[in-house]
């Protein structure tokens, strides 16, 4: 079983930046995928980015050029650098880990962007 703990959320003004971290512990296997979803009140969970063990990254279109995902395999940690934040980025950001067909989730960290 894998446990994920997110950190780094908070309140920021539009145009500002935040860096989220997600530390994984437990039974970590490779190759794996780690990434982020977000969920705003009343909305469905939305995938925004992931990174594979080999460093490959993928982004949802609305965050391309503003968000950067990275990982430290030695620390089993994934990061999400968020720049040029907009009020519509306000959501709970959830980290996930996927190995084969098994997915583990963190509890999420709140990001609030004020206009």
């Amino acid at each position: 079983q894998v446990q994920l703990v997110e950190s780094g959320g908070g309140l920021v003004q539009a145009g500002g930046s935040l860096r989220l971290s997600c530390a994984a512990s437990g039974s970590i296997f490779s190759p794996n995928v780690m990434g982020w979803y977000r969920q705003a009140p009343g909305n469905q969970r939305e995938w925004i980015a992931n990174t594979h063990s080999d460093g490959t990254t993928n982004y949802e279109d609305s965050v391309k050029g503003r968000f950067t995902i990275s990982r430290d395999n030695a620390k089993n940690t994934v990061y999400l650098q968020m720049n040029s934040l907009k009020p519509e980025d306000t959501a709970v950001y959830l980290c996930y880990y996927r190995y084969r067909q098994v997915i583990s989730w963190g509890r999420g960290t709140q990001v609030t962007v004020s206009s």
Side-chain angles (χ1 to χ4, degrees):
Q1 205 165 13
V2 175
Q3 295 77 44
L4 301 168
V5 179
E6 301 100 332
S7 61
L11 173 65
V12 64
Q13 288 188 330
S17 299
L18 282 175
R19 188 189 193 216
L20 306 183
S21 299
C22 173
S25 61
S27 301
I28 308 295
F29 299 101
S30 293
N32 60 61
V33 180
M34 295 185 72
W36 296 88
Y37 276 72
R38 65 187 178 189
Q39 188 164 20
N43 289 0
Q44 290 188 335
R45 191 171 290 187
E46 174 189 28
W47 172 83
I48 54 174
N50 68 21
T51 175
H52 295 243
S53 296
D54 64 0
T56 304
T57 59
N58 299 284
Y59 297 93
E60 193 272 333
D61 286 347
S62 71
V63 306
K64 281 181 182 177
R66 299 190 299 124
F67 291 10
T68 302
I69 191 169
S70 61
R71 64 190 290 162
D72 183 333
N73 289 331
K75 296 181 179 180
N76 292 320
T77 298
V78 64
Y79 306 95
L80 187 68
Q81 177 67 43
M82 305 187 294
N83 299 329
S84 302
L85 283 162
K86 305 174 182 180
E88 51 264 43
D89 293 318
T90 295
V92 174
Y93 283 69
L94 302 112
C95 172
Y96 72 96
Y97 160 94
R98 179 169 61 83
Y99 175 71
R100 295 184 178 175
Q101 302 306 314
V102 180
I103 301 176
S104 299
W105 294 94
R107 292 190 174 185
T109 184
Q110 177 69 45
V111 171
T112 303
V113 184
S114 63
S115 57

